[in-house]
Amino acid sequence: MMKENIDDLKNILDKEFEDFKSAVKKVETLSGLENIENRFLGKKSLVSEYLKNMGTLSNEFKPIAGKTINDMRRKISERLSALKEEISLLEFDKKLRNEKYDISLPGRKIKTGSKNILNQIIEEIEEFFIGLGYEIAEGPEIETDYYNFEALNHPPDHPARSLHDTFFIDENILLRTHTSPVQIRYMEKHKPPVYVIAPGKTYRKDYDVTHTPMFTQIEGLAVDKDINFGNFKWTLETFVHAIFGRDRKIRFRPHYFPFTEPSAEVDVSCNMCKGSGCRICSYSGWLEILGAGMVDPNLYKFVDYNPEEVNGFAFGIGIERIAMLKYGINDLRMFFENDLRFLNQF
Amino acid sequence: MKITYNWLKEFIENLENISPAEIAEKLTMSGTEVKKVYYLGENFKNLIIGRILSYEKHPNADKLSLCNVDIGKNLLNIVCGAKNFKDNDIVVVALEGAKIQDFVIKKSKIRGIFSEGMMCSEKELGISDESDGIMILNDSFKIGEDFASQAGLDDWVFELEITPNRPDCLSVAGIAREISALTGLKLKKQDYVSRYIVNKDEKLIIDIRDYDLCPRYSAKIFKSNDYPDTPLWMKNRLMQCDIRSVGLLVDLTNYVMLESGQPLHAFDLNKLYSRKIIIRKAKKEEKLLLIDGSEKILDENDLVIADEKGPVALAGIMGGKDTEINEETKEILLESANFNGVSIMKTSKKMGFRSEASNRFEKKLDPENTINAIGRFEELLCKICNIKSENTFYDNYLNAKRRRSIDLRVKRLNDFLGTGITAEKISEILNLLGFENNMGKEIITVEVPSFRFEDIEREVDLIEEVARIYGFDNIPVQTPRTVAKQGRYTDEQKLVRKIRNILNGMGLNEVINYSFIGKKDLLMFYLDKENDYKDYVKIINPLNEDFEIMRTSLIQSLVRNAKDNIFKKLNNIAIFEISKVFKSVKIDEKKKSIEKNTLGILLSGKSSLKSWDMQEKYFDYFDIKGLAESLLDIFYERNDFLVREHEYCFFHPSISGDIMLKNKKLGVIGKLHPKIINTLDIKQDIYLAEIDLDIFIDNISKEKEFRQISSFPPVNIDMAFIVDEEVKCQDIENEIILSAGRNLQNIRLFDLYRGKQLEDNKKSLAFSLEFNAIDKTLNEKDIELLIKKISGKLSKKFKAILRDQ
Ligand SMILES: [Zn+2]
């Protein structure tokens, strides 16, 4: 029976709480916690017993005792629910940790394909020239003699024609030997300023270690007022630095092409030997990468431009050659063999 | 072309002050590319001039001699197998370390006797083919001296590449002129033109029938009772220039050609039928036996040199056998002529034969040069044979005007190049190049010399000359003014590149193949039987028969790639190609070729390999179809395209169809015919699709419109229909889409069942449908109505029975 003394009640309850505290100290599982809850808040617990017997207390003491017991009950209950959350988190964590998972097993990869190396280089070059304000033009691969030769200053019987071993469809129709005809077609349709590059397949009757009967070119053309040789040098120098890196040296060597005057072959310093000479550059320290020049004014006659009003320059780049130099590919024929091990490398 | 440093020195004063490497650099950077420059003496080390003091028979071998040879510093014992020497003969001795025909000489015992060197033949030295005995030198060679320096081998060789516009540089004299312009060093003038007069007697008559084909024919008769051997220095120079020594007269014609650029030919005068030389077109079927022993049947397009009996030489290309000079020849007719380049090129092309001479004539030579060659020939011959020179020659020359004057604007030149070169500097450069000019402040009037008449016609040609001598490197780099244009791809170009990227992302490798195939490839794929593929464009001069047809489809090329890889045990293949195909069409009775951008896709082998948690899977038809559908899905609406059965000879007859886009044929899809697989001897299935990219891209709508997204929950229902086996799934699906209306968001076939629960020849198609309305939540009644509508339509059209859920 409860004595109607608040200090006694408090003492008893404080002792009960001390017992509770020492009981939960050791508890680690939810079921253990349930036992404790039973012991301290269950039907047979001290707190429950006291509350059950509240009716026997005096009216003065009842509210004070009730409040004190209920405070204690709430205290225990709050503590228990906090512990419950804590322990269930711990148990959840333990359960997760017990799941066996070898994350070093190989993942399910998605096979990706590859863009052909030649198209990668073409796109790289296209992006460079688009940045300078150029457009991309395309044209037929089966061409007429007029566009492939005549309008490019190769009249019939011109000795320079022998430099091109041409595939013919008939006397006047042929497989283009360069992409320059695209430029003539473009100029026929557009007045200056003209800034255009023409990528595409070209054909020459040649098949050995250094020639395939089909190969890929980008030819470029700029025609505008006030274009001079210095601008031509700037454009190609900037191009070479963009493709091969700023540390490469570049030189313009006078040459001959029927549709440019003056004409130049452009060499880039050999990366293998840094210019001192090796097998790759045939001991010259230089690698030839493109042919170019100022547009021969004769060409303007074919497209109705006035050579006194505009100047221009043109250039032709062999894509396979750029790829070979950039990646050290040593056999030209690999580009068209399409071995999966080759394709997957790029 | 090759020339040597010492040879150039004969033409340029003080050239020894400039090193061969420096000359090479200057030539290369002015347009005459020097491919190689090398020192000759490297190959002639440890070769010493010696004198045979005495010799005796080798004690142990009858055929060998034991010689006592004086090489200045000491005497050597040398064992020798040759017999052609006597006491006091001067010979070349190869000492220890010398390299003879890739064999390094060492002191060695020959039949028990020590030999301290070797006496060399011309062949062993690489000078000629003469291997009959050792080389005996004349007494101008000094005992104990280095053979290389004594024989003119202490020299450098330049290997040059001459561009086709510069025939004047196909000679020592021409290159000397370039070097003089590049260095400012003076040329040593060799003036025959003013010294020689035309012989008007009628001992030789030159009859040119067509000055267009032969603008000039100069000639001279030489006579000597004795023609000695070609001097060693000349033999050596010819050897350095890759010309074999064959005897004095022919060697001289070659030597003078290399030096002056003018080809020469020597006839045996006494073998000519008449003293009248006719330069004419050949008659049809006329025959000529050439020096190389081949008999040519000529026609009116060939230019010949003839006497009054018949042709004696193919002009500019090769002489005739009947008038060839030999050891008995005493009197020669030397021809120094100028022929039409185009005519020579055509004949030499037809004969499939090019010579040093024809190569030069093709590029159009300067007719003014004929006298120089005759003069130089005479000078050398007279010295060697010790005969008197006459300074006369026979000549027939139309003497067409080969003078041209061009005005060069100083401002124009500088505007064009972006330079500030003064008129004085321009004038100086032109002078150095042999262009006389009259310098004004603004305009320089330039006289084009005869030797540049063919290639300098316009102001811009002169600008090029000035630019290359001034040096491209000296022209300053200048940033162009801003381009007033936006650089860009066209929409079509963007789409092609996008498609390429998408296919890469889908796991396909991009291949590029030759545009040509062989006839047999066409036949192997039965393309000759297919209207869309049979009309091909043919190359009339293909590399070989595997490269003679422009492909009308990418399929054969892709299959070839598959085969090549499978043969290398690379069996799992997913590739595509975007290239043009070519077809021949008839437009107004005329054959024309058309080009179409085409996408080809090939799948073969495994799509996924067996791994620790997955089964392996092989590609099949639904992989290639799914790939095509996924690609189309990106650009088109779901009901814009479908696959329709269509049999192609190259596809499996049951797995062969057309890809239709908006009711037009876009391409083909199917499984490669097993017959073709067998022929190719590959043991795996191949799936293919080919799409006309032009149609694909043209039909893509430019604007895409946003479709509102419903904020109400979707409703998913499954419907299964039992239909006859003949009913196509595609048709059922289309009908569902049509009758379901705009609220149908997705439709997916999730089950196909044939079997016990169904009658024979029936199948069950189960679809999962997702409905969603934009303006409300669809209720049970709405769905019920839809189901009723769909099943009603299907039952009517296909006798489809809706299965209970
Ligand atoms: Zn190198």
Side-chain angles (χ1 to χ4, degrees):
Chain A
M1 229 7 263
M2 208 190 310
K3 281 187 198 146
E4 291 204 356
N5 180 320
I6 189 66
D7 288 336
D8 278 358
L9 182 62
K10 276 189 178 162
N11 276 337
I12 292 166
L13 286 174
D14 281 348
K15 191 184 168 286
E16 176 78 353
F17 192 66
E18 284 307 311
D19 286 351
F20 169 75
K21 279 207 292 197
S22 67
V24 293
K25 224 172 242 168
K26 281 169 254 159
V27 89
E28 275 176 347
T29 64
L30 283 177
S31 60
L33 203 66
E34 228 164 89
N35 290 337
I36 293 170
E37 190 174 1
N38 265 332
R39 184 176 144 201
F40 291 94
L41 293 181
K43 279 178 193 152
K44 286 180 181 150
S45 66
L46 184 73
V47 174
S48 295
E49 287 293 328
Y50 275 10
L51 286 174
K52 231 185 275 167
N53 294 323
M54 283 296 275
T56 61
L57 296 180
S58 70
N59 279 340
E60 294 87 69
F61 193 59
K62 206 189 271 176
I64 304 164
K67 188 180 178 299
T68 313
I69 296 167
N70 267 324
D71 280 354
M72 177 56 62
R73 198 172 97 128
R74 202 177 55 244
K75 230 165 109 185
I76 292 175
S77 165
E78 272 171 9
R79 191 66 179 268
L80 274 172
S81 70
L83 269 168
K84 206 175 193 170
E85 198 167 318
E86 204 174 297
I87 289 171
S88 64
L89 272 176
L90 273 172
E91 282 200 345
F92 183 58
D93 183 67
K94 204 164 151 195
K95 192 178 147 244
L96 292 182
R97 283 176 194 284
N98 278 335
E99 282 174 28
K100 293 286 169 241
Y101 216 87
D102 179 358
I103 61 160
S104 76
L105 281 168
R108 274 172 226 116
K109 276 194 243 177
I110 294 162
K111 187 196 174 285
T112 50
S114 58
K115 189 175 293 180
N116 194 281
I117 178 63
L118 298 176
N119 282 329
Q120 286 185 37
I121 290 186
I122 287 175
E123 287 184 13
E124 193 180 339
I125 295 173
E126 285 172 345
E127 274 158 28
F128 171 82
F129 281 103
I130 284 174
L132 292 187
Y134 285 63
E135 289 181 27
I136 318 291
E138 285 153 310
E141 291 172 29
I142 297 180
E143 260 298 357
T144 60
D145 186 277
Y146 175 80
Y147 284 110
N148 195 73
F149 287 126
E150 227 180 305
L152 287 159
N153 224 12
H154 292 66
D157 301 322
H158 194 285
R161 280 198 182 204
S162 65
L163 299 175
H164 299 228
D165 282 316
T166 311
F167 288 116
F168 286 97
I169 304 301
D170 64 34
E171 219 175 289
N172 266 314
I173 311 287
L174 42 81
L175 301 187
R176 64 179 179 193
T177 59
H178 41 197
T179 57
S180 310
V182 179
Q183 302 174 345
I184 298 293
R185 288 175 179 277
Y186 187 91
M187 285 194 282
E188 282 179 343
K189 293 202 185 83
H190 300 82
K191 288 282 147 207
V194 163
Y195 291 88
V196 67
I197 59 169
K201 293 178 178 140
T202 51
Y203 304 87
R204 286 186 203 179
K205 195 179 167 183
D206 236 333
Y207 200 11
D208 55 39
V209 188
T210 51
H211 298 90
T212 47
M214 182 183 90
F215 54 100
T216 325
Q217 268 198 341
I218 285 190
E219 301 213 14
L221 174 76
V223 181
D224 203 344
K225 277 183 217 154
D226 309 327
I227 284 189
N228 63 37
F229 197 90
N231 303 149
F232 157 66
K233 279 182 75 175
W234 180 89
T235 305
L236 291 183
E237 213 168 277
T238 312
F239 165 74
V240 167
H241 286 155
I243 300 294
F244 290 102
R246 292 207 64 83
D247 57 326
R248 302 293 278 274
K249 282 206 276 294
I250 173 172
R251 71 173 188 185
F252 291 77
R253 198 156 35 73
H255 198 68
Y256 168 76
F257 301 110
F259 41 93
T260 49
E261 182 106 352
S263 304
E265 279 188 331
V266 178
D267 298 338
V268 60
S269 59
C270 178
N271 208 27
M272 281 300 184
C273 59
K274 307 284 174 216
S276 63
C278 67
R279 197 179 49 81
I280 304 292
C281 57
S282 348
Y283 304 96
S284 69
W286 294 97
L287 298 161
E288 180 193 325
I289 49 158
L290 58 91
M294 298 295 284
V295 176
D296 191 304
N298 270 3
L299 257 67
Y300 299 138
K301 288 186 208 149
F302 290 97
V303 295
D304 214 15
Y305 288 7
N306 183 349
E308 288 294 317
E309 282 174 6
V310 291
N311 287 326
F313 58 82
F315 50 88
I317 305 161
I319 304 302
E320 287 84 356
R321 172 127 182 105
I322 302 280
M324 290 173 94
L325 293 177
K326 249 185 112 133
Y327 298 101
I329 299 165
N330 52 13
D331 186 350
L332 182 62
R333 285 170 291 198
M334 280 213 254
F335 291 108
F336 304 108
E337 275 169 8
N338 297 308
D339 187 304
L340 289 176
R341 291 163 297 186
F342 179 80
L343 299 174
N344 277 323
Q345 283 185 38
F346 302 103
Chain B
M1 190 185 74
K2 290 177 181 169
I3 57 172
T4 81
Y5 187 41
N6 288 344
W7 206 341
L8 284 167
K9 283 182 196 160
E10 293 174 19
F11 282 78
I12 307 168
E13 289 176 9
N14 301 320
L15 188 64
E16 57 279 7
N17 293 337
I18 301 182
S19 74
E22 237 175 297
I23 292 169
E25 174 73 13
K26 280 191 173 3
L27 283 172
T28 295
M29 293 313 286
S30 66
T32 307
E33 194 184 348
V34 180
K35 287 274 173 203
K36 248 189 227 164
V37 51
Y38 53 90
Y39 180 60
L40 267 180
E42 286 304 321
N43 297 323
F44 295 96
K45 273 187 182 156
N46 296 313
L47 294 172
I48 301 287
I49 311 288
R51 185 199 301 276
I52 299 172
L53 296 180
S54 63
Y55 62 96
E56 59 195 64
K57 200 178 80 61
H58 191 295
N60 306 329
D62 285 348
K63 291 195 172 153
L64 298 177
S65 310
L66 194 56
C67 309
N68 188 14
V69 183
D70 174 10
I71 59 159
K73 291 192 290 275
N74 50 357
L75 298 178
L76 301 180
N77 280 314
I78 295 174
V79 177
C80 182
K83 291 274 173 242
N84 66 324
F85 55 83
K86 53 185 190 312
D87 285 355
N88 287 323
D89 272 352
I90 297 174
V91 296
V92 181
V93 179
L95 301 179
E96 191 172 10
K99 218 166 145 192
I100 299 294
Q101 292 176 331
D102 289 328
F103 178 75
V104 181
I105 300 293
K106 279 182 279 191
K107 279 186 192 170
S108 57
K109 271 187 180 167
I110 299 175
R111 292 290 183 98
I113 302 236
F114 225 62
S115 182
E116 295 172 296
M118 171 183 159
M119 298 192 286
C120 308
S121 71
E122 290 194 18
K123 190 178 180 186
E124 282 158 345
L125 290 170
I127 294 166
S128 78
D129 286 344
E130 186 62 63
S131 61
D132 206 13
I134 57 170
M135 181 166 65
I136 310 294
L137 301 169
N138 62 35
D139 45 19
S140 66
F141 286 87
K142 294 191 186 73
I143 309 305
E145 293 284 314
D146 218 32
F147 171 67
S149 57
Q150 294 272 301
L153 293 167
D154 182 17
D155 201 353
W156 292 76
V157 176
F158 297 93
E159 205 180 308
L160 306 171
E161 191 172 290
I162 310 295
T163 53
N165 60 325
R166 295 300 304 275
D168 61 302
C169 283
L170 289 167
S171 62
V172 179
I175 297 299
R177 205 152 43 212
E178 287 287 304
I179 295 172
S180 155
L182 291 165
T183 57
L185 294 178
K186 274 214 178 74
L187 284 177
K188 298 178 186 169
K189 278 274 181 247
Q190 282 162 315
D191 184 17
Y192 302 96
V193 179
S194 59
R195 216 192 310 154
Y196 273 68
I197 51 165
V198 177
N199 197 334
K200 294 277 198 236
D201 71 35
E202 302 221 322
K203 280 183 193 156
L204 185 75
I205 295 162
I206 300 165
D207 177 6
I208 299 177
R209 295 283 163 88
D210 186 344
Y211 283 108
D212 204 33
L213 295 176
C214 175
R216 188 176 201 179
Y217 197 97
S218 310
K220 176 148 189 156
I221 292 167
F222 294 100
K223 189 179 176 184
S224 169
N225 287 325
D226 180 35
Y227 294 105
D229 202 11
T230 307
L232 190 61
W233 61 266
M234 189 182 287
K235 276 188 188 177
N236 283 338
R237 279 201 180 155
L238 289 172
M239 174 178 78
Q240 304 323 328
C241 298
D242 301 324
I243 290 180
R244 249 164 24 99
S245 165
V246 286
L248 181 66
L249 290 169
V250 173
D251 286 357
L252 266 174
T253 62
N254 284 326
Y255 186 83
V256 173
M257 175 182 70
L258 294 175
E259 192 175 276
S260 67
Q262 170 65 47
L264 296 173
H265 181 68
F267 296 97
D268 187 328
L269 186 70
N270 296 316
K271 290 180 187 164
L272 288 169
Y273 174 79
S274 61
R275 296 294 156 97
K276 184 175 179 181
I277 293 292
I278 308 156
I279 300 94
R280 61 166 169 86
K281 288 175 182 171
K283 294 165 192 156
K284 203 169 165 62
E285 305 281 298
E286 208 166 13
K287 286 177 187 166
L288 175 60
L289 184 65
L290 295 175
I291 284 175
D292 70 357
S294 66
E295 191 181 59
K296 301 288 179 199
I297 296 161
L298 310 173
D299 63 41
E300 298 92 331
N301 294 316
D302 303 319
L303 186 67
V304 294
I305 315 301
D307 57 20
E308 284 174 309
K309 206 170 78 183
V312 294
L314 201 50
I317 298 174
M318 200 187 272
K321 187 92 185 157
D322 295 343
T323 52
E324 188 187 5
I325 50 174
N326 59 20
E327 293 93 46
E328 269 89 63
T329 303
K330 299 275 180 256
E331 229 171 337
I332 63 160
L333 174 74
L334 181 74
E335 163 195 294
S336 179
N338 188 269
F339 301 114
N340 178 304
V342 174
S343 159
I344 301 291
M345 181 170 70
K346 282 184 174 161
T347 299
S348 97
K349 214 172 200 173
K350 190 176 71 184
M351 305 277 175
F353 177 87
R354 288 178 97 200
S355 62
E356 288 276 348
S358 73
N359 179 39
R360 282 174 170 78
F361 280 123
E362 276 176 16
K363 295 182 175 120
K364 299 181 184 171
L365 298 178
D366 175 15
E368 297 284 320
N369 203 19
T370 59
I371 311 175
N372 289 324
I374 289 179
R376 180 64 172 149
F377 186 96
E378 180 159 33
E379 187 176 60
L380 288 164
L381 183 76
C382 291
K383 207 178 201 174
I384 293 163
C385 299
N386 213 1
I387 51 178
K388 233 185 100 215
S389 64
E390 291 166 343
N391 295 344
T392 63
F393 71 116
Y394 296 94
D395 197 20
N396 189 340
Y397 185 20
L398 174 66
N399 214 350
K401 184 173 169 283
R402 282 177 67 87
R403 304 237 68 146
R404 177 185 290 135
S405 81
I406 301 172
D407 284 348
L408 173 60
R409 293 166 290 175
V410 175
K411 181 174 182 311
R412 170 74 178 160
L413 180 142
N414 283 313
D415 285 349
F416 193 84
L417 299 176
T419 47
I421 310 174
T422 61
E424 287 75 15
K425 180 72 189 166
I426 296 169
S427 170
E428 183 197 325
I429 289 172
L430 290 168
N431 272 324
L432 284 168
L433 284 167
F435 293 71
E436 287 171 17
N437 60 79
N438 191 346
M439 190 186 74
K441 232 190 176 131
E442 278 156 20
I443 290 175
I444 301 172
T445 305
V446 183
E447 297 300 321
V448 178
S450 182
F451 60 87
R452 297 299 300 278
F453 188 77
E454 298 290 347
D455 95 287
I456 305 292
E457 292 177 323
R458 304 158 302 164
E459 185 181 37
V460 67
D461 299 324
L462 291 172
I463 295 177
E464 174 177 42
E465 288 303 299
V466 174
R468 69 182 185 87
I469 302 299
Y470 182 75
F472 285 2
D473 279 350
N474 296 322
I475 297 174
V477 170
Q478 281 170 63
T479 314
R481 67 189 177 110
T482 317
V483 175
K485 267 192 136 175
Q486 183 211 350
R488 60 180 192 95
Y489 284 122
T490 62
D491 291 342
E492 290 74 24
Q493 289 162 349
K494 271 185 220 162
L495 283 167
V496 170
R497 282 152 187 81
K498 183 172 176 183
I499 290 167
R500 205 180 265 144
N501 289 338
I502 290 168
L503 293 170
N504 292 151
M506 288 176 170
L508 277 75
N509 293 112
E510 185 184 18
V511 298
I512 296 179
N513 285 289
Y514 291 133
S515 297
F516 6 73
I517 57 165
K519 180 89 195 251
K520 66 177 197 307
D521 298 314
L522 193 91
L523 296 178
M524 189 194 289
F525 284 78
Y526 310 102
L527 295 184
D528 54 320
K529 296 192 173 66
E530 292 288 355
N531 281 330
D532 285 353
Y533 299 101
K534 69 175 170 34
D535 300 311
Y536 56 80
V537 178
K538 190 171 180 290
I539 298 166
I540 54 174
N541 59 333
L543 257 183
N544 58 49
E545 57 182 22
D546 293 336
F547 293 87
E548 84 183 315
I549 288 170
M550 298 304 284
R551 56 186 172 163
T552 57
S553 159
L554 304 180
I555 285 176
Q556 321 85 310
S557 311
L558 290 170
V559 171
R560 173 187 292 268
N561 298 150
K563 179 189 159 172
D564 290 348
N565 278 295
I566 290 165
F567 276 34
K568 294 177 203 163
K569 297 226 159 41
L570 304 162
N571 295 74
N572 307 319
I573 303 154
I575 52 176
F576 76 99
E577 175 169 9
I578 294 177
S579 283
K580 280 180 170 174
V581 299
F582 304 84
K583 282 164 197 180
S584 174
V585 291
K586 259 194 180 154
I587 299 170
D588 304 333
E589 291 301 295
K590 276 179 102 181
K591 268 197 177 173
K592 284 208 149 180
S593 57
I594 50 169
E595 305 180 10
K596 281 166 178 283
N597 286 303
T598 305
L599 162 65
I601 303 175
L602 178 147
L603 300 177
S604 185
K606 289 171 192 166
S607 60
S608 51
L609 303 176
K610 180 168 171 26
S611 76
W612 61 281
D613 74 333
M614 266 200 304
Q615 292 306 307
E616 65 180 17
K617 213 177 147 290
Y618 283 87
F619 283 120
D620 65 21
Y621 166 74
F622 296 103
D623 286 306
I624 192 126
K625 187 180 177 195
L627 220 143
E629 286 174 325
S630 305
L631 181 66
L632 280 152
D633 268 339
I634 295 168
F635 300 95
Y636 289 100
E637 295 295 327
R638 183 66 190 89
N639 49 356
D640 281 343
F641 58 90
L642 58 87
V643 169
R644 199 178 59 185
E645 277 189 339
H646 185 115
E647 205 176 316
Y648 288 100
C649 296
F650 44 84
F651 281 154
H652 187 299
S654 304
I655 310 173
S656 172
D658 282 331
I659 304 172
M660 304 298 293
L661 179 68
K662 297 180 175 169
N663 294 321
K664 270 182 294 187
K665 180 181 162 186
L666 174 69
V668 301
I669 188 163
K671 176 178 178 175
L672 187 62
H673 201 297
K675 275 192 297 189
I676 301 174
I677 299 269
N678 286 339
T679 317
L680 290 169
D681 197 25
I682 41 185
K683 307 228 159 13
Q684 61 189 64
D685 295 338
I686 288 179
Y687 299 90
L688 291 153
E690 186 171 58
I691 285 171
D692 184 322
L693 261 194
D694 294 332
I695 296 178
F696 187 101
I697 286 171
D698 287 349
N699 280 286
I700 295 173
S701 50
K702 294 269 185 298
E703 274 110 71
K704 218 167 186 174
E705 212 178 306
F706 167 67
R707 231 176 358 225
Q708 281 304 327
I709 296 165
S710 171
S711 47
F712 301 95
V715 179
N716 290 298
I717 58 164
D718 292 346
M719 293 177 87
F721 296 96
I722 299 165
V723 290
D724 286 347
E725 194 60 72
E726 285 71 34
V727 175
K728 295 289 169 206
C729 177
Q730 177 82 62
D731 296 332
I732 299 278
E733 194 179 314
N734 283 353
E735 197 56 45
I736 295 174
I737 293 168
L738 220 66
S739 42
R742 64 194 162 89
N743 288 341
L744 179 67
Q745 300 296 317
N746 276 309
I747 174 166
R748 177 167 48 87
L749 178 78
F750 73 88
D751 192 33
L752 168 67
Y753 177 78
R754 299 178 173 98
K756 278 185 282 177
Q757 295 177 32
L758 299 177
E759 293 170 43
D760 281 355
N761 201 34
K762 294 274 184 192
K763 64 186 173 192
S764 161
L765 301 166
F767 294 92
S768 170
L769 308 176
E770 183 190 317
F771 291 100
N772 204 346
I774 199 75
D775 50 357
K776 62 167 191 172
T777 306
L778 293 171
N779 59 31
E780 246 170 72
K781 224 180 112 197
D782 296 328
I783 299 297
E784 217 165 277
L785 268 170
L786 277 168
I787 292 176
K788 220 176 208 170
K789 195 177 166 200
I790 292 167
S791 55
K793 274 276 170 64
L794 290 182
S795 144
K796 216 165 125 195
K797 216 162 172 182
F798 304 106
K799 296 201 177 71
I801 299 158
L802 180 67
R803 289 180 89 182
D804 295 331
Q805 303 299 304

